[in-house]
Amino acid sequence: MGLLRKEPPQTDESFTKRQLLEDLTMTKNALDTAYANFEAVVDPDLIDCYTYEIYSVQKRYKFLLEQAKQMDLQTFL
């Protein structure tokens, strides 16, 4: 019957590239959220909190971009 199709098996490389792109997207969204939260607060403790969060997420984003560059991935983020 052709109702249930089996997807072709994924190679480790395609899974890794797809996962990396998903991680980049999620990290970019987290960075945008951290910036928005930083701009919305006035309490000094929350300013510190979001400053550290932005720094941390920027580091992760930089790491993921370097990984993508090593894999010759082209993204439009």
Side-chain angles (χ1 to χ4, degrees):
M1 293 189 76
L3 296 176
L4 299 174
R5 292 189 215 169
K6 289 185 179 180
E7 293 183 20
Q10 294 183 348
T11 63
D12 287 339
E13 185 177 337
S14 68
F15 174 77
T16 303
K17 287 181 179 181
R18 185 172 46 99
Q19 185 63 44
L20 181 58
L21 289 174
E22 289 175 9
D23 287 349
L24 274 166
T25 301
M26 289 178 14
T27 304
K28 176 72 167 82
N29 291 338
L31 188 57
D32 292 341
T33 301
Y35 276 121
N37 289 337
F38 175 79
E39 292 174 7
V41 297
V42 293
D43 183 86
D45 289 334
L46 290 177
I47 291 172
D48 287 345
C49 173
Y50 288 117
T51 301
Y52 290 121
E53 185 174 345
I54 289 169
Y55 179 75
S56 173
V57 176
Q58 282 177 332
K59 287 289 195 179
R60 177 169 172 75
Y61 193 63
K62 181 181 176 185
F63 170 79
L64 292 172
L65 285 176
E66 288 173 2
Q67 294 296 310
K69 187 175 183 179
Q70 288 177 359
M71 295 177 75
D72 291 329
L73 275 178
Q74 294 189 5
T75 63
F76 301 102
L77 298 175

